[in-house]
Amino acid sequence: MSPVWLASWAAVRKRKVQTTVIGLVVCAAGATLVMALGLLVAADAPFDRAFASQRGAHLTVAFDAREVEGADLTGGAESAGPFRQATLDTSGEETYLGTLTVVGRADPGGAVDRIPVTLGRWAERPGEIVLGVQPGARGEPGFEIAVPGGGTLTVVGFARSVTGSADAWVTPEQIDALRPTAVQMLYRFDRAGTAAEVAAGQAAVTAGLPDGAVLGSLSHLTVRDKVTSELGVFVPFLLIFGVLGLVVAVLTVANVVSSAVVAGLRQIGVLKAIGYTPDQVMAVHLVMVSVPAVAGSVLGAVIGNLFAKPVVQDAVEGFGVDALSFPAWVNVAAVAGLPLLVALAALVPALRARALPAARVIGAGTAAHTGRASRLQRRLAGTGLPRPFALGAGLPLARPGRSALTLASVVLGVMTVTLATGLALSVMAYDQAVRPSHADRLELMAGPPSGEPAFVPPGEQVPTPRLSDAGDEAALRSVPGVTAFLASARLEAELAGGAQKATITFHRGDTGELGPRVLTGHRPGRPGQVAVPSRFLNQRGLSVGDTVTVSARGGRTQLEIVGVVLTNNADEVFADWSALAALAPGARADSYQVRMAPGTDRDAVVAAVREADPGLRALPPRDSSSSTAVIIISSAVVLSLVLGAVAALGVFNTVVLNARERRRDLGLLKSIGMTPRQVTLLLVTSMGGLGVLGGLIGVPLGLAVHRVVVPAMTAAGQADVLDILLDVYQAPALALLALSGLVIAVLGAVVPARGAARLSIATVLHNE
Amino acid sequence: MRNGDAVVELTDVRKEYSDSVALDGVSLTVLPGEAVAVMGPSGSGKSTLLNMIAGLDRPTSGSVVVQGTDLGTLGETGLALFRRRGIGMIFQFFNLLDDLSALDNVALAAQLTGTRAAQARARALELFGELGIAGRRDVYPARLSGGERQRVAVARALMNRPALLLADEPTGALDSRSGEQVMDLLLDLNQIGQTLLLVTHDERLATRCATRVIEVVDGRIAREQSLERTP
Ligand SMILES: Nc1ncnc2c1ncn2[C@@H]1O[C@H](COP(=O)(O)OP(=O)(O)O)[C@@H](O)[C@H]1O
Ligand SMILES: [Mg+2]
């Protein structure tokens, strides 16, 4: 072993506490960093990655089968198809899946739009069908779907095309039985980064075809925008936590490392006296902290990977990205970057050690560690406070630089906790607003649900009411305990100007009480009016007062946007019952909602409803948390725990160093009769003040960051900023958050303080 | 006057600190085999004098030549290399490295000069035997008695067979029995030819093992006296 390594290794081995603290801090920082970076990278472009790995279609075109009979549709571009395409209407069937676009395709692979099968297998024989999965959809393959006009299809698997090129796939032989009317072509172009390039590509591949040959087309950019808005919500959130984690790590490492060098001054003099060159002395101090830093960063990277992967997986799963591999540079950056950062933080004090005149450090014989006892400290000691409090409160003043670094890490810890709490509250407020659980409400199904295809589990009955719509309303209103009633009917509609679907929900009854909250404008009151969520407006560039053209069930009508409502589904709009007649004459409500008076027994109401109309089906109470909310809340909790722990480790290190420097004083205090408990109290108190101060500074900073992050998240999600999302902090919560600084400080201080208090006086004095 | 054989040759050395003058024109020659005791009141500049000779600090003016090398011509690294081979130092408060065992503290000195670890340990063990601390080789400094620590420090100082051994109040922190043992050790070393420069407060010890006594007062050499050693 070289002399440098020998001295460094001895320091590493014997100063176990410092080494462990450095290792732990770097490990925690590394885990946070890997997690933040990993999540950032994942949030960056999961769609792009999925698109690339699945060779997604830049353009999906549906041609009219009769118009393109025998024509070459490849247009010189890289393509897949032609695949015959049919519409399968499953409404009215037992297993209700809505209207499915079904494509006859022998092979899920190929040059364009490779479709990963997520469960089960691809359709190999006639009579088999593979369903596209919606995020969050449940179910096992194996059930059957009835085909209108006879026959059934067995679901053999689930799959998902990255651009959603179809809702379901069957074999080319099977598609004929479904009477295909269209032909699907999937294209990849050399240039497809902009809408203009995609349009040019479309012009090229459709050149020479008769007018009306193209029934509809879908650009990958349209799909991408929509997906990005779903995941974009995570980006500001992760970004801020990543940055916070990095800053906390840097601060703590700087604190730990520079103090470690400062604490070893006498050793520096000795090394120089026996012949270490200045460069060797510097090297000893760099190596000494690099050993735990390297170990910590490797461990941190491993932990970060273990924790981050499931979160990333959760976040992107819905978009058909199944096996996500972490880019190597994230780990390389952490494993190489953190020790480098540690070495950088150590460099300044190490250079100081290098330049230190040896005679001064060893000349004094004993290590001089007077520190600076300020006037304030003496004054504190003179107050009527109990002795340990008075002495401890002044301790940080002796080391202003170290105390400032410690304070900064507490502030950042409190800031993180405050921000995380606020974000969790905001997410819950949003969820509660758009997807209220409403324990006092009862929802009843009165017909097949429409809108987004949804699975009715095999074996469950589609509700078929016995009474008429009006009869049900009268019956429900007369159930004891029911105080308000709302009927809804949903209709799938096409919005003109693109292959975009929307669900129109028609409301009847006590809309003011049970309908969605109106944020601006007013509730639609007559035919021709519609209220929409803000995301609907933002995604389509519309505003209140504009008119949209919708077609449904062959009818076509114009609706004026008269209000904005608070709901999350960007594709659901609301109209008055009176408007239903124009689009779907004779339609009845497919669901009812009633509000029960406080204290009403839910089961009794359900029983009464069943008595009145056994065909209605009561839904279980709603679970209000979305998966996005669960991910955000749980990662906020994990991240604030990690960063809070890092902050506490900063305090831990400071107390270790303070106690080490003051061990002679502490020994003296004990020799004159201070109990170990009082010594512990003294050291904990010394950090308690910093903790309180850190809380008072950190909370407002956290509030300020919350005010920036929430609007960024809602903007990314194409929603609007609402007061209910910003004003989430209540006074008691703020008081508790301010206390978190104290908690961090006390938790960090108590272990080393007890250690120092238990050190025997004899040992201390003997070693001096 | 320059003596080609001199181990140490100080010429008109002056050392000023920001608020005081520690050495005020000191000239001193130490010849091979001499045992020079430096005495004087506290704060008179004795340690400063030793630090100048060890190259741990630089004079404000004047020249320090040790074994024919003018220390003023050496950089920090050069001084470190010079100390490794040319100088052994002993301090009042031992200044052992707390993180290394007694044996490693000693072996380290030889490893610094490029000696292989095994060889360095062998030589260290030899010294431990000679100094009567062989049984304490694996003990850490914190668990050694003061006398044992100082003997480890002596072993470390002797590892590279330095031309000059500097000792700054080597008995100052020891009880009288351990102090005498260390003094005997230094006397023995000098008698087999080790050149020695020793700072001490204790006149009896000084007269017992020094061939020459120098008294420093306020940074100047106030008195110089050659002795017949009293055995
Ligand atoms: N590093 C230093 N900085 C400032 N003054 C110093 C330093 N080292 C020594 N002195 C001063 O120089 C004088 C001589 O000190 P020193 O050589 O340690 O005396 P001695 O060893 O004889 O007790 C004293 O006044 C002391 O205060
Ligand atoms: Mg002295």
Side-chain angles (χ1 to χ4, degrees):
Chain A
M1 273 204 284
S2 81
V4 168
W5 184 248
L6 197 73
S8 313
W9 182 243
V12 165
R13 215 183 41 208
K14 208 159 172 235
R15 299 208 180 124
K16 289 200 182 75
V17 176
Q18 290 201 19
T19 302
T20 310
V21 169
I22 294 175
L24 280 177
V25 168
V26 173
C27 174
T32 316
L33 197 69
V34 165
M35 207 140 66
L37 274 180
L39 294 184
L40 267 177
V41 172
D44 192 18
F47 177 79
D48 289 352
R49 265 198 310 279
F51 191 81
S53 71
Q54 297 174 30
R55 295 191 58 75
H58 288 132
L59 184 72
T60 304
V61 182
F63 293 100
D64 188 324
R66 286 163 309 183
E67 300 279 356
V68 297
E69 193 77 55
D72 175 20
L73 298 174
T74 58
E78 198 176 1
S79 64
F83 303 127
R84 277 162 297 159
Q85 177 179 321
T87 304
L88 179 59
D89 184 7
T90 65
S91 47
E93 301 302 325
E94 193 170 293
T95 306
Y96 182 85
L97 298 169
T99 305
L100 302 178
T101 299
V102 186
V103 162
R105 186 164 172 176
D107 179 10
V112 181
D113 193 31
R114 292 172 189 159
I115 301 166
V117 176
T118 54
L119 198 61
R121 59 169 176 83
W122 193 250
E124 285 159 4
R125 279 177 290 276
E128 296 179 344
I129 187 167
V130 173
L131 292 179
V133 221
Q134 292 293 324
R138 302 255 177 276
E140 290 283 321
F143 59 94
E144 294 189 339
I145 296 172
V147 178
T152 58
L153 293 170
T154 304
V155 176
V156 294
F158 293 112
R160 187 178 160 84
S161 152
V162 64
T163 53
S165 56
D167 297 321
W169 295 268
V170 295
T171 61
E173 300 79 52
Q174 173 65 50
I175 194 73
D176 288 332
L178 301 174
R179 290 188 294 278
T181 56
V183 172
Q184 181 183 72
M185 284 298 296
L186 305 153
Y187 299 102
R188 281 180 71 87
F189 303 129
D190 292 338
R191 297 176 164 280
T194 66
E197 286 170 349
V198 174
Q202 175 161 358
V205 296
T206 57
L209 294 175
D211 285 351
V214 175
L215 291 175
S217 66
L218 179 68
S219 162
H220 72 113
L221 295 175
T222 309
V223 182
R224 189 173 187 269
D225 281 353
K226 202 162 175 165
V227 171
T228 310
S229 86
E230 299 287 332
L231 202 65
V233 176
F234 289 103
V235 174
F237 167 81
L238 295 171
L239 199 62
I240 192 67
F241 276 103
V243 169
L244 277 173
L246 201 62
V247 177
V248 170
V250 166
L251 268 176
T252 312
V253 165
N255 181 7
V256 168
V257 174
S258 53
S259 324
V261 173
V262 166
L265 285 183
R266 190 185 65 91
Q267 153 157 321
I268 295 165
V270 176
L271 292 177
K272 289 194 166 179
I274 63 172
Y276 275 75
T277 65
D279 286 340
Q280 285 177 318
V281 169
M282 183 174 76
V284 166
H285 285 84
L286 294 181
V287 172
M288 184 173 96
V289 292
S290 296
V291 169
V294 168
S297 66
V298 169
L299 190 65
V302 170
I303 292 174
N305 277 282
L306 288 181
F307 275 88
K309 280 211 169 167
V311 178
V312 173
Q313 216 72 47
D314 249 24
V316 301
E317 204 169 41
F319 308 108
V321 191
D322 40 9
L324 181 90
S325 65
F326 245 39
W329 69 263
V330 168
N331 290 315
V332 171
V335 172
L338 274 167
L340 214 64
L341 203 70
V342 168
L344 267 180
L347 193 60
V348 174
L351 282 171
R352 234 181 90 199
R354 184 182 187 279
L356 208 72
R360 197 156 83 214
V361 209
I362 48 170
T366 49
H369 47 65
T370 46
R372 270 163 285 176
S374 72
R375 217 176 307 155
L376 182 55
Q377 188 178 10
R378 281 197 293 272
R379 202 179 308 160
L380 276 167
T383 58
L385 283 169
R387 214 67 187 149
F389 280 117
L391 287 170
L395 201 53
L397 301 169
R399 287 282 179 197
R402 183 185 303 162
S403 300
L405 278 176
T406 313
L407 178 64
S409 63
V410 174
V411 165
L412 281 161
V414 173
M415 220 174 120
T416 308
V417 173
T418 304
L419 176 64
T421 308
L423 287 178
L425 290 173
S426 293
V427 167
M428 286 194 279
Y430 184 74
D431 252 24
Q432 186 57 33
V434 299
R435 244 184 313 273
S437 55
H438 293 318
D440 61 341
R441 294 190 192 178
L442 177 63
E443 270 186 287
L444 300 151
M445 296 301 298
S450 50
E452 300 267 306
F455 296 110
V456 171
E460 284 231 23
Q461 291 295 308
V462 172
T464 41
R466 307 276 163 83
L467 303 177
S468 69
D469 197 3
D472 274 331
E473 174 168 357
L476 288 172
R477 281 191 187 275
S478 64
V479 170
V482 167
T483 58
F485 167 90
L486 184 73
S488 310
R490 271 168 294 170
L491 201 58
E492 263 187 72
E494 296 276 335
L495 291 173
Q500 299 179 79
K501 284 178 185 167
T503 302
I504 309 175
T505 298
F506 301 89
H507 278 154
R508 181 184 82 219
D510 304 316
T511 49
E513 284 171 77
L514 298 178
R517 214 170 109 187
V518 177
L519 295 170
T520 46
H522 62 85
R523 205 175 285 285
R526 51 186 177 76
Q529 291 186 337
V530 70
V532 302
S534 57
R535 297 181 70 200
F536 179 92
L537 295 180
N538 296 339
Q539 281 184 5
R540 293 168 177 82
L542 297 167
S543 53
V544 174
D546 288 347
T547 298
V548 288
T549 305
V550 299
S551 42
R553 304 223 176 147
R556 175 179 291 231
T557 188
Q558 293 217 319
L559 298 172
E560 188 202 350
I561 300 171
V562 296
V564 177
V565 289
L566 179 60
T567 57
N568 189 45
N569 185 348
D571 301 322
E572 186 182 17
V573 301
F574 299 87
D576 186 63
W577 195 262
S578 59
L580 181 62
L583 284 164
R588 64 162 292 155
D590 55 41
S591 73
Y592 301 113
Q593 207 178 108
V594 297
R595 195 178 62 204
M596 300 168 288
T600 309
D601 178 16
R602 186 186 165 89
D603 292 338
V605 174
V606 171
V609 168
R610 190 169 297 139
E611 179 96 357
D613 186 345
L616 297 180
R617 195 171 79 236
L619 294 182
R622 279 202 224 178
D623 174 8
S624 77
S625 56
S626 69
S627 65
T628 305
V630 170
I631 291 171
I632 288 184
I633 292 172
S634 51
S635 29
V637 168
V638 168
L639 289 173
S640 62
L641 281 181
V642 169
L643 297 194
V646 172
L649 281 177
V651 175
F652 179 96
N653 175 63
T654 297
V655 173
V656 167
L657 283 166
N658 284 350
R660 181 181 268 267
E661 282 178 358
R662 294 303 180 110
R663 61 185 185 271
R664 209 185 157 91
D665 299 357
L666 297 177
L668 282 175
L669 287 174
K670 288 208 293 189
S671 71
I672 58 169
M674 201 177 251
T675 65
R677 181 185 286 268
Q678 283 175 312
V679 173
T680 306
L681 191 61
L682 183 153
L683 286 170
V684 171
T685 305
S686 72
M687 291 296 110
L690 286 185
V692 170
L693 193 60
L696 293 180
I697 301 171
V699 168
L701 285 178
L703 296 185
V705 175
H706 178 260
R707 292 232 149 213
V708 175
V709 173
V710 166
M713 287 171 75
T714 52
Q718 297 179 329
D720 284 344
V721 190
L722 305 165
D723 287 349
I724 53 158
L725 304 185
L726 290 178
D727 304 330
V728 290
Y729 295 100
Q730 310 290 318
L734 286 178
L736 279 177
L737 286 171
L739 275 182
S740 67
L742 188 60
V743 171
I744 287 172
V746 170
L747 284 183
V750 85
V751 171
R754 288 178 57 126
R758 262 192 255 114
L759 210 64
S760 90
I761 307 168
T763 311
V764 171
L765 297 180
H766 178 67
N767 283 338
E768 288 303 307
Chain B
M1 177 200 79
R2 178 157 283 205
N3 188 331
D5 290 339
V7 178
V8 177
E9 180 135 30
L10 300 189
T11 314
D12 203 17
V13 169
R14 187 177 166 83
K15 177 66 183 179
E16 294 169 10
Y17 289 109
S18 51
D19 52 351
S20 62
V21 177
L23 292 178
D24 186 8
V26 172
S27 295
L28 172 68
T29 303
V30 180
L31 296 174
E34 272 197 289
V36 179
V38 180
M39 302 195 64
S42 180
S44 56
K46 308 181 295 293
S47 295
T48 306
L49 180 67
L50 247 59
N51 287 344
M52 294 295 141
I53 296 168
L56 286 174
D57 213 343
R58 292 173 188 277
T60 311
S61 65
S63 81
V64 180
V65 178
V66 181
Q67 290 180 273
T69 308
D70 184 346
L71 300 191
T73 64
L74 298 177
E76 287 302 316
T77 303
L79 285 175
L81 300 179
F82 151 77
R83 271 195 299 276
R84 283 182 193 173
R85 295 186 180 279
I87 303 282
M89 275 194 104
I90 311 167
F91 305 90
Q92 178 177 4
F93 291 103
F94 328 119
N95 279 334
L96 297 175
L97 294 173
D98 298 337
D99 308 337
L100 296 178
S101 68
L103 190 70
D104 282 339
N105 257 288
V106 175
L108 182 61
Q111 280 173 267
L112 272 172
T113 62
T115 311
R116 284 215 314 279
Q119 228 174 316
R121 295 181 131 242
R123 160 114 177 102
L125 269 177
E126 205 178 293
L127 280 169
F128 269 52
E130 287 171 19
L131 298 179
I133 45 174
R136 313 294 280 160
R137 46 178 280 192
D138 293 324
V139 179
Y140 282 83
R143 300 197 165 276
L144 293 171
S145 74
E148 286 169 339
R149 284 190 216 187
Q150 199 59 297
R151 272 181 281 176
V152 172
V154 170
R156 179 176 69 184
L158 295 177
M159 262 312 262
N160 294 323
R161 301 185 173 89
L164 177 63
L165 186 61
L166 301 174
D168 191 349
E169 304 195 27
T171 59
L174 301 179
D175 59 84
S176 59
R177 217 177 81 82
S178 308
E180 273 191 41
Q181 284 173 346
V182 169
M183 272 299 169
D184 286 344
L185 189 61
L186 295 177
L187 181 59
D188 291 348
L189 285 168
N190 179 243
Q191 273 165 352
I192 58 171
Q194 175 71 57
T195 313
L196 185 63
L197 190 62
L198 165 76
V199 170
T200 184
H201 266 116
D202 188 330
E203 193 152 354
R204 206 174 60 84
L205 289 175
T207 51
R208 212 178 93 196
C209 71
T211 55
R212 186 150 59 110
V213 173
I214 290 170
E215 194 167 338
V216 179
V217 178
D218 288 340
R220 291 169 203 265
I221 295 181
R223 202 157 58 92
E224 197 170 336
Q225 184 188 7
S226 288
L227 297 173
E228 282 300 311
R229 273 198 284 238
T230 54

